[in-house]
Amino acid sequence: NVDYAAVSNSDASDGIVVVAKDSADLGGNLNWRFTTIVPGEEIVWTGKSGSQWANPENWDLGRVPVATDRVRIPAAGPNTPVLNGAAILNRLEVAAGGALALGGNDLTVTNDLVVAGALSASATETVTLLGDASFAGAVVSPARSLLLVAGDRSRVIDFGGADFHGIRVTQGAGTLIVGGGLAADEWRMEIPPGASFDCAFAAGRTVCARRFLVLGDAAATNATLRSTVPDSAWGLQATE
């Protein structure tokens, strides 16, 4: 990675293109690409040079996504993206017909995650959600991965009836609205000391989990599990 550099008379023609972000081209450079990062910019996967996420030639802006980007993976193209390392993104959309493989790497989304296509894990990856998310229409291959709902803000997560391995909720404040049904090996809700947490499950939908755990304060009622619609039922099926 090259950032905030002033470059002159550099010949990189023997290797892959060097992408310099927010840098100055002082002239005489070969096989360099200089680009300016605009926070909140959209970057779209093309896959024209393979499956490697970290290859700048696979992105329409000619660079690899950064933490401020809004990343979009469209319907299936020539290659499916595979993460090469841990990624932090502002927003991520996997469109219907598109796919993302975690490849053993962790993923953090600080704002919105929208998966209408395929999301696949291969090991014990952690997907951390700090904002809203939707898995409506998604096909999730969870392996032994963990979906971590973290942060201290209210949010809506539509699980879309998808399958997960582990779901861990550590949200310390606000309301979590669980839209759609889901299936998981384990649902684990951990409420920090002194916090009070409200979780509303979609009316008429069922949460299926081998283990359903709520870890709160034994001396006080600091966890509320309810339906999104007053006087309407939500379903829970726990098998252990």
Side-chain angles (χ1 to χ4, degrees):
N1 295 319
V2 178
D3 302 274
Y4 308 111
V7 187
S8 66
N9 302 307
S10 174
D11 185 353
S13 57
D14 288 337
I16 64 172
V17 63
V18 180
V19 180
K21 299 186 293 291
D22 297 320
S23 299
D25 181 3
L26 302 183
N29 300 304
L30 299 177
N31 205 33
W32 282 75
R33 181 182 300 142
F34 293 84
T35 183
T36 300
I37 303 297
V38 178
E41 192 170 30
E42 182 179 77
I43 182 169
V44 180
W45 171 263
T46 64
K48 64 181 182 181
S49 295
S51 296
Q52 292 190 3
W53 179 280
N55 184 348
E57 301 302 319
N58 284 325
W59 299 95
D60 69 331
L61 298 183
R63 62 171 178 81
V64 178
V66 298
T68 60
D69 283 334
R70 295 181 297 113
V71 178
R72 184 164 62 88
I73 300 173
N79 295 289
T80 296
V82 180
L83 288 183
N84 298 98
I88 300 175
L89 305 173
N90 173 15
R91 187 181 188 277
L92 172 62
E93 177 189 357
V94 181
L100 171 63
L102 299 178
N105 300 288
D106 294 343
L107 171 66
T108 298
V109 182
T110 55
N111 283 300
D112 297 339
L113 171 65
V114 178
V115 181
L119 179 66
S120 61
S122 58
T124 58
E125 301 96 324
T126 296
V127 176
T128 301
L129 303 179
L130 299 178
D132 295 340
S134 173
F135 295 92
V139 176
V140 178
S141 302
R144 292 172 289 123
S145 63
L146 173 68
L147 185 70
L148 176 61
V149 181
D152 293 325
R153 54 167 284 190
S154 294
R155 83 280 303 278
V156 177
I157 299 179
D158 183 353
F159 289 94
D163 295 329
F164 300 87
H165 177 65
I167 299 174
R168 182 182 177 192
V169 180
T170 62
Q171 181 177 325
T175 297
L176 171 61
I177 297 177
V178 178
L182 65 96
D185 284 342
E186 180 176 278
W187 169 286
R188 184 182 183 93
M189 184 181 296
E190 300 176 357
I191 304 167
S196 181
F197 183 63
D198 176 42
C199 188
F201 294 88
R205 299 297 182 90
T206 299
V207 174
C208 300
R210 274 202 311 136
R211 293 180 298 276
F212 188 89
L213 307 174
V214 180
L215 308 179
D217 190 340
T221 302
N222 65 338
T224 301
L225 308 181
R226 60 180 176 85
S227 170
T228 53
V229 179
D231 300 321
S232 295
W234 63 280
L236 171 62
Q237 181 179 14
T239 57
E240 284 190 9

